[in-house]
């Protein structure tokens, strides 16, 4: 919303303050400032002149005129001009030598087209009034010659550009912003809607409301004898341009001007094209309408329409129809002002991807009491500026709507803010907003003419008042504040007017024993461990599409294909909640590789969403004014998917970088498995790695990860088809592990550190080639006993020396005792015991034995 300061001052007695000071006050009141634009301050030495003579210079390819212009000086000025829309005797703005125009453009005397040009005759664009103009600006004939054009036209102005949030629809008008400015400065406010308007004299045109859920007030006024050629006055064009709207014609400009001034969207119909009674209703199946933008729109059955006997003539609150458009021959006009359903207009606008200034206001809530005043304001302007005559009577179709009454304890705003506010302060601030405040609670269904549906109380009001001993107050919000529906809305109004800067900054007290849970500590340890291993953490959106699951080559019936579908997805390509972390990681990997980072190792920790087989299809939409009932909570719990925490990694390119020290090492499936082992070590559990076949991994390079007999994840090299589907580098590896299944039973324990030396023993075992390395390692651990500190595989060999179908595995065993130095006999015995168990379980033989 662009607010010219000069327009604002018409309705508020602002003190001598700058635009920045006004902006600061409005920002403190909760209106967000986007920009302050200054207009006309740089313009100087532009005066009013009268054209005395015009000489046409015909020797040039384009029209060139040599003019003599009287600017109130002793001798007329000679000026060369290329515009042809003015004649002798016209009054025009003249920039004299030394003048400065918007953009720092300086004017001087110079010879051009063979003549002296001692200044410039200006257009609206050259004065900064409009972005473009067809010719010279012609001023009224009685304008005083030599007068300062900037002062005369009010070109010096500051414009505040405000970002209006959805709950502040009232601020999409000069009226609404002026009210806030008056409150902020403690100045007098003159309501532009407080005008006398006729309401008698019969109907201006037959009209009715067929659907009260779509519209509850519809007003028509008529103007006859309107001059369609009458131009919009300059002051109106200037204000519209400053407010960000393009002047079009007098009829259109008047409706836009009143909308900006009061906040009530209006529409003008050519009365001669309206056929029969006007009816406000919902669309019928198959109906269409050609709107003012020359697009034929197929209407939805929930669209709100203004219709006559011929069918739809306007999409209510959004855009008018082409058939009833005001044209160059329109002399009889119908002005429509209405109060449409905010929800209905919002959905209509989004459904047709058609956002207008009117729809932006209706969907945020428009003052229901404005249509009568706003329609008369527009009629009055059309008659005054366009020579029309206001027809007697007004059509006023209305549906009774119960006013809202909100009963709250007077101390409620203070309890919300944590700052005590007196009852007098609360009442004063609410009355400044425009509310009517009365003492006591209003009984449901009575008092002040309020129906039962119109009374709102703050939860268990009787219980609150009994505890606090407070007397309640009942608040009737003004018609222009449709956002005030809840006790906390009223509390917010009191707090913002008292000043957010007056709220103390108080740190919450940390209760004893609080802190991170063991699960949270585990997640942090896992993140640190993977980061130290060379992985970079990423955060992906938790949304996926069917294409992502197809890219993972998941078979039909795979549990990961059963996903929770969003009701309102951000993208139709990703309407599902993720059931695996891999799609987001893989797409991030592709993005990085595409930008020149060939060696990438990424990890992510987050939730996945696995729907329950027997979950209900829908869950209830809960109200916010009370605690959910037990059955509602049970229903929601049953509908929510399981949300386990998972950790996943993807890696491609070099894992160990190459450099001057030598060649690097390409990332492989082994690195993905080692990442899983790093996670398991942080959880304090032993990971059992077994060969497996599981999409999306390569069937020959996939490992299942177990803790005891519980499957916790998979790791390995991705299937070539997955690599191709996602556009990944060759041999990309990945790991995904369910962290929720590794949650430790208690706090992490620091391992004891022995002060005694370590004893090292190497052992090389020959086993069949298909024997899993993990099985040999598990057997060695079991046989070595408690003295074994660690075991490391440092060599794998297959060749003639170990026989066909065999392989040699060489391990380093480290032994250490917590209370003594081990003897050679003890370490040898432990080594031999380990070899014995390996031989028993896997058939291993000592190499060279």
């Amino acid at each position: 919303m662009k607010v010219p300061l000069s327009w604002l001052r018409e309705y508020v007695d602002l003190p001598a303050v700058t635009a920045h000071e006004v902006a600061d006050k409005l920002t403190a009141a909760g209106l967000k400032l986007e920009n302050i634009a200054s207009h006309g301050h740089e313009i100087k030495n532009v005066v009013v002149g009268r054209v005395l003579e015009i000489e046409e210079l015909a020797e040039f390819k384009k029209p060139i005129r040599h003019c003599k212009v009287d600017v109130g000086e002793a001798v007329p000025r000679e000026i060369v001009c290329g515009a042809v829309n003015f004649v002798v005797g016209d009054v025009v703005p003249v920039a004299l030598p030394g003048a400065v125009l918007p953009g720092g453009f300086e004017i001087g005397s110079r010879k051009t087209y063979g003549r002296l040009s001692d200044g410039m005759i200006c257009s609206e664009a050259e004065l900064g009034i409009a972005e473009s103009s067809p010719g010279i600006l012609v001023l009224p004939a009685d304008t005083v010659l030599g007068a300062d054009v900037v002062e005369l036209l009010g070109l010096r102005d500051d414009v505040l550009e405000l970002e209006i949030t959805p709950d502040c629809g009232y601020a999409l008008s000069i009226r609404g912003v002026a009210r806030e400015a008056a409150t902020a400065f403690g100045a007098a406010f003159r309501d532009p809607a407080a005008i006398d308007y006729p309401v008698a004299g019969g109907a201006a045109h037959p009209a009715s409301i067929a659907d009260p859920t779509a519209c509850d007030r519809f007003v028509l006024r008529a103007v006859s004898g309107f001059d369609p050629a009458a131009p919009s006055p300059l002051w109106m064009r200037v204000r519209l341009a400053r407010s960000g709207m393009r002047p079009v014609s007098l009829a259109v400009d008047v409706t836009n001007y009143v909308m900006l001034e009061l906040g009530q969207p209006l529409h003008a119909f050519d009365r001669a094209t309206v056929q029969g009674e006007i009816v406000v209703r919902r669309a019928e199946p198959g109906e269409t309408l050609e709107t003012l933008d020359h697009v034929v729109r197929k209407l939805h059955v929930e669209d709100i329409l203004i219709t006559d006997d011929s069918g739809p003539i306007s999409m209510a609150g959004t855009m008018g129809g082409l058939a009833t458009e005001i044209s160059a021959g329109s002399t009889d006009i119908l002005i429509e002002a209405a109060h449409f359903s905010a929800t209905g207009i919002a959905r209509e606008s989004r459904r047709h991807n058609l956002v207008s200034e009117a729809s932006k206001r209706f969907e945020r809530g428009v003052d229901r009491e404005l249509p009568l005043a706003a329609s008369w304001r527009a009629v009055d302007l059309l008659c005054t500026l366009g020579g029309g005559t206001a027809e007697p009577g007004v059509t006023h179709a209305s549906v009774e709507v119960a006013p809202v009454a909100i009963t709250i304890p007077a101390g409620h705003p203070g309890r919300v803010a944590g700052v005590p506010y007196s009852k007098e302060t609360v009442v004063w601030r609410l009355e400044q907003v425009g509310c009517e405040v009365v003492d006591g609670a209003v009984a449901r269904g009575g008092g002040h003419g309020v129906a039962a549906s119109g009374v709102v109380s703050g939860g268990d009001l009787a219980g609150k008042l009994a505890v606090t001993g407070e007397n309640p107050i009942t608040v009737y919000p003004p018609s222009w504040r449709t956002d005030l529906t809840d006790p906390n809305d009223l509390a917010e109004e009191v707090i913002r007017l008292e000043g957010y800067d007056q709220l103390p900054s108080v740190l919450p007290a940390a209760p004893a024993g609080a802190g991170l849970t063991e699960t949270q500590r585990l997640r942090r340890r896992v993140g640190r461990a993977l980061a130290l291993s060379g992985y970079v953490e990423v955060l992906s959106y938790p949304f996926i599409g069917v294409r992502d699951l197809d890219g993972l080559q998941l078979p039909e019936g795979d549990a990961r294909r059963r996903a929770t579908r969003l009701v309102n997805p951000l993208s139709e390509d990703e309407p599902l909640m993720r059931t695996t972390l891999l799609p987001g990681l893989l797409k991030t990997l592709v993005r990085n590789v595409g930008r020149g980072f060939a060696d990438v190792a990424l990890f992510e920790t987050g939730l996945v969403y696995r729907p329950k087989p027997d979950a209900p299809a829908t869950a209830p939409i809960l109200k916010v004014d009370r605690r959910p009932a037990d059955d509602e909570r049970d229903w929601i719990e049953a509908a929510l998917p399981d949300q386990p925490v998972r950790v996943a990694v993807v890696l491609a390119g070099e894992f160990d970088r190459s450099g001057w020290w030598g060649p690097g090492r390409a990332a492989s499936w082994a690195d993905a498995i080692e990442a899983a082992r790093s996670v398991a070590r942080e959880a304090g559990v032993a990971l059992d790695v077994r060969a497996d076949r599981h999409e999306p991994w390569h069937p020959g390079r996939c490992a299942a990860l177990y803790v005891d007999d519980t499957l916790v994840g998979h790791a390995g090299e991705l299937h070539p088809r997955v690599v191709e589907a996602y556009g990944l580098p060759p041999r990309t590896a990945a790991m995904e592990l369910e962290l929720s299944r590794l949650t430790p039973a208690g706090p992490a324990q620091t391992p004891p550190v022995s002060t005694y030396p370590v004893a090292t023993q190497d052992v090389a075992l020959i086993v069949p080639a298909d024997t899993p390395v993990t099985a040999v390692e598990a057997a060695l651990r079991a046989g070595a006993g408690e003295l074994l500190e660690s075991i490391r595989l440092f060599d794998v060999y297959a060749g003639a020396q170990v026989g066909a179908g065999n392989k040699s595995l060489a391990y380093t065993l480290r032994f250490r005792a917590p209370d003594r130095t081990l003897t050679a006999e003890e370490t040898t015995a432990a080594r031999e015991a380990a070899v014995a168990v390996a031989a028993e379980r896997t058939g291993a033989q000592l190499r060279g034995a």
Side-chain angles (χ1 to χ4, degrees):
M1 177 68 189
K2 294 183 177 180
V3 182
L5 200 58
S6 61
W7 201 351
L8 195 67
R9 288 184 182 274
E10 284 194 9
Y11 306 120
V12 187
D13 293 333
L14 292 176
V17 292
T18 66
H20 288 275
E21 290 173 307
V22 176
D24 290 342
K25 287 284 189 180
L26 293 177
T27 300
L31 299 181
K32 181 182 177 184
L33 177 70
E34 284 290 300
N35 185 41
I36 298 178
S38 294
H39 298 273
H41 292 281
E42 72 275 36
I43 303 177
K44 64 180 183 180
N45 209 21
V46 181
V47 299
V48 177
R50 185 186 303 278
V51 180
L52 301 178
E53 297 178 13
I54 298 177
E55 178 187 356
E56 304 286 348
L57 305 181
E59 63 267 28
F60 302 102
K61 293 182 179 179
K62 60 181 181 178
I64 299 296
R65 312 169 100 189
H66 181 251
C67 309
K68 288 187 178 181
V69 183
D70 181 5
V71 294
E73 298 174 339
V75 179
R77 297 271 181 173
E78 296 184 11
I79 300 174
V80 175
C81 182
V84 296
N85 68 310
F86 63 94
V87 297
V88 172
D90 280 349
V91 177
V92 294
V94 178
L96 301 178
V100 178
L101 297 181
F105 183 59
E106 296 183 4
I107 303 299
S109 294
R110 65 191 182 98
K111 191 171 183 180
T112 180
Y113 294 102
R115 303 295 180 95
L116 176 67
S117 184
D118 198 21
M120 185 175 78
I121 305 175
C122 301
S123 67
E124 292 184 24
E126 289 158 345
L127 293 174
I129 298 173
E131 292 184 1
S132 61
S133 53
I136 294 303
L137 171 61
V138 179
L139 300 173
D142 58 352
T143 308
V144 177
L145 299 185
D148 184 355
V149 168
V150 174
E151 294 296 333
L152 177 70
L153 303 183
L155 298 185
R156 290 192 181 97
D157 204 353
D158 292 306
V159 178
L160 308 179
E161 185 174 353
L162 305 173
E163 179 182 335
I164 306 303
T165 54
D167 61 324
C168 294
Y170 67 93
L172 282 171
S173 65
I174 301 297
R175 180 195 187 207
V177 178
R179 184 179 283 108
E180 290 292 338
T183 302
F185 284 96
F189 168 65
R190 293 177 294 278
D191 190 349
I195 58 176
D196 293 329
Y197 48 83
V199 293
H205 189 91
S208 62
I209 298 172
D211 189 343
T213 66
C215 175
D216 56 38
R217 176 160 287 174
F218 190 78
V219 172
L220 291 174
R221 294 187 189 270
V223 175
S224 60
F226 172 75
D227 180 8
S232 299
L234 182 61
W235 61 265
M236 181 177 286
R237 300 203 305 273
V238 171
R239 282 192 169 172
L240 290 174
R242 296 283 193 263
S243 301
M245 303 197 75
R246 181 176 59 88
V248 178
S249 65
L250 179 58
V252 175
D253 292 350
V254 164
T255 58
N256 286 336
Y257 183 85
V258 175
M259 177 185 67
L260 291 172
E261 182 179 60
L262 302 181
Q264 171 67 55
L266 303 171
H267 188 68
F269 295 99
D270 184 346
R271 191 176 185 182
T273 62
V274 178
Q275 304 175 25
E277 180 185 15
I278 291 178
V279 179
V280 184
R281 60 172 173 82
R282 303 278 182 175
E284 296 175 355
E287 284 189 308
T288 60
L289 173 66
E290 185 175 3
T291 47
L292 292 173
D293 55 358
H294 298 274
V295 176
V296 177
R297 303 183 184 276
K298 184 177 180 181
L299 303 174
H300 190 274
V301 291
E302 292 185 3
D303 288 343
I304 304 173
L305 302 179
I306 299 174
T307 65
D308 63 5
D309 292 348
S310 66
I313 59 174
S314 176
M315 292 177 63
T318 306
M319 185 173 283
L322 189 63
T324 55
E325 178 187 17
I326 299 294
S327 64
S330 301
T331 59
D332 295 336
I333 296 175
L334 274 179
I335 294 295
E336 167 257 307
H339 185 258
F340 298 112
S341 163
T343 303
I345 298 301
R347 290 176 177 171
E348 177 178 284
S349 174
R350 284 156 180 75
R351 190 180 298 122
H352 294 278
N353 194 25
L354 189 61
V355 179
S356 64
E357 292 293 333
S359 69
K360 285 194 294 187
R361 286 162 173 80
F362 276 121
E363 68 185 17
R364 287 166 169 81
V366 171
D367 185 353
R368 186 177 181 272
E369 302 302 320
L370 271 179
L372 285 169
S375 59
W376 177 249
R377 171 73 166 140
V379 166
D380 186 50
L381 287 171
L382 289 173
C383 294
T384 303
L385 304 175
T389 302
E391 292 290 328
V394 56
T395 300
H396 183 198
S398 181
V399 178
E400 185 176 355
V401 175
V404 173
I406 308 172
T407 302
I408 63 170
H412 179 67
R415 283 192 292 276
V416 172
V419 175
Y421 298 134
S422 66
K423 180 179 178 181
E424 292 73 17
T425 298
V426 171
V427 172
W428 173 51
R429 289 303 190 184
L430 291 176
E431 288 178 342
Q432 279 188 313
V433 173
C435 299
E436 180 185 352
V437 184
V438 297
D439 281 328
V442 176
R444 291 189 180 276
H448 210 77
V450 181
S453 62
V455 182
V456 179
S457 63
D460 186 4
L461 178 63
K464 289 183 178 179
L465 296 178
V467 172
T468 62
E470 293 181 70
N471 293 322
I473 58 174
T474 298
V475 182
Y476 299 91
S479 57
W480 58 84
R481 290 302 300 271
T482 57
D483 58 306
L484 302 183
T485 60
D486 184 83
N488 288 329
D489 295 332
L490 302 180
E492 181 182 2
E493 292 302 301
V494 174
I495 295 168
R496 77 177 181 88
L497 294 182
E498 280 293 296
Y500 292 118
D501 58 329
Q502 300 301 314
L503 299 179
S505 179
V506 180
L507 291 175
L516 297 177
T517 65
E518 287 304 316
T519 301
Q520 292 170 327
R521 293 176 186 275
L522 174 60
R523 288 187 64 170
R524 293 196 177 189
R525 292 200 306 271
V526 166
R528 284 194 296 267
L530 290 174
L532 289 172
S533 298
Y535 293 86
V536 176
E537 184 174 16
V538 299
L539 294 174
S540 305
Y541 285 114
F543 313 122
I544 60 172
V546 175
R547 182 178 179 181
D548 295 319
L549 301 176
D550 292 340
L552 294 179
Q553 309 298 311
L554 302 184
E556 293 297 329
D558 191 294
R560 289 167 290 181
R561 282 193 175 273
R562 188 171 184 269
T564 301
R565 181 173 291 272
L566 296 168
V567 176
N568 54 340
L570 295 178
S571 168
E572 291 299 330
D573 294 332
E574 296 177 330
L576 308 175
M577 298 298 289
R578 67 186 178 194
T579 55
T580 168
L581 298 178
L582 291 180
L585 277 171
L586 296 179
K587 287 187 281 189
T588 304
L589 175 66
V590 170
R591 191 176 302 115
N592 278 271
V593 172
R595 284 162 173 74
F597 298 96
D599 307 317
V600 184
L602 308 174
F603 83 95
E604 181 173 10
T605 305
L607 300 176
V608 297
Y609 305 86
R610 307 298 291 269
K612 302 168 186 173
D614 54 349
T618 59
I621 299 176
L622 302 182
K623 296 183 177 180
V624 298
D625 59 345
R626 59 176 175 80
R627 180 182 180 275
D630 291 340
D631 59 335
E632 291 175 329
R633 292 183 61 189
D634 294 341
W635 190 358
I636 291 175
E637 289 293 338
L640 287 175
D642 291 329
Q643 300 175 46
V645 179
R646 290 194 173 187
V647 58
V649 306
V650 295
L651 58 162
E654 289 186 344
F655 194 71
D656 293 333
R657 300 291 191 267
S658 57
W660 59 266
W661 51 85
R665 181 181 61 83
S668 71
W669 57 267
D671 295 298
I673 295 175
E674 182 56 31
R677 288 197 173 101
S678 296
V679 173
R681 280 194 294 270
E682 296 301 325
V685 297
L687 200 63
D688 187 8
V689 181
R690 308 175 190 174
D692 196 10
R693 297 172 66 93
H694 187 72
E695 295 81 5
W697 283 274
H698 191 294
R701 302 186 183 101
C702 173
L705 311 174
Y706 285 85
V707 173
D708 296 329
D709 291 327
T710 301
L711 178 66
V712 297
H714 288 83
E717 183 182 311
L718 293 176
H719 197 288
R721 292 199 187 110
V722 176
V723 170
E724 181 181 1
Y726 277 89
L728 301 167
R731 311 294 295 266
T732 297
M735 177 275 292
E736 185 171 20
L737 184 149
E738 193 152 309
L739 202 57
S740 299
R741 297 181 182 178
L742 302 185
T743 303
Q749 300 296 323
T750 302
V753 179
S754 175
T755 60
Y756 294 92
V758 67
T760 303
Q761 294 275 349
D762 291 344
V763 59
L765 302 176
I766 298 175
V767 296
D770 58 355
T771 303
V773 172
T774 54
V776 178
E777 182 179 323
L780 290 172
R781 286 185 180 277
E786 297 180 353
L787 295 178
L788 181 66
E789 182 179 78
S790 67
I791 182 171
R792 183 175 69 88
L793 176 67
F794 68 86
D795 184 58
V796 178
Y797 170 75
Q801 296 183 23
V802 297
N806 293 327
K807 62 183 176 183
S808 171
L809 305 176
Y811 292 91
T812 294
L813 308 179
R814 290 167 58 91
F815 299 96
R816 195 195 308 261
D819 55 351
R820 67 189 188 280
T821 300
L822 294 177
T823 64
E825 290 78 9
E826 287 178 305
T827 56
T828 300
R831 171 181 177 276
E832 291 175 351
V835 172
V837 172
E840 179 183 347
R841 292 186 180 181
T842 65
Q845 297 179 359
L846 273 175
R847 184 175 174 182

